[in-house]
Amino acid sequence: LNIDRPGFLRLRDVLAIFPVSRASWYAGIVKGIYPPSVALGPRSVGWRTSDIKALIENPSAVSTSATPGSLEIKSKRKGAFTT
């Protein structure tokens, strides 16, 4: 994977760099640990290579105020996500 060029990475590519589960990645987005996704189309998202590179170089650079566009935490059940 080349993250030095501008562009986007799909989730499978991001998880190849950060070996966490899908659920952990999305929970990290909600918590502001990982950068939010960018809509690439009506049913696809990606992550900017620059955001992933910044996360690799300085993990504390990710904003804790990052809000994902398509996820929200349900208050009914702890940890329940909807898309």
Side-chain angles (χ1 to χ4, degrees), residues 10-82:
R10 298 300 304 270
L11 182 59
R12 67 180 168 271
D13 300 323
V14 173
L15 296 182
I17 297 169
F18 294 95
V20 298
S21 69
R22 291 170 57 98
S24 294
W25 180 260
Y26 281 112
I29 292 171
V30 170
K31 293 177 183 177
I33 298 169
Y34 303 128
S37 60
V38 175
L40 301 176
R43 295 181 52 154
S44 65
V45 297
W47 284 262
R48 290 180 186 91
T49 54
S50 59
D51 290 345
I52 299 303
K53 186 175 179 181
L55 181 61
I56 292 168
E57 292 173 354
N58 186 7
S60 64
V62 176
S63 170
T64 56
S65 64
T67 56
S70 62
L71 290 179
E72 56 186 53
I73 298 176
K74 290 284 190 184
S75 60
K76 290 188 234 174
R77 211 173 81 219
K78 183 179 179 183
F81 297 97
T82 60

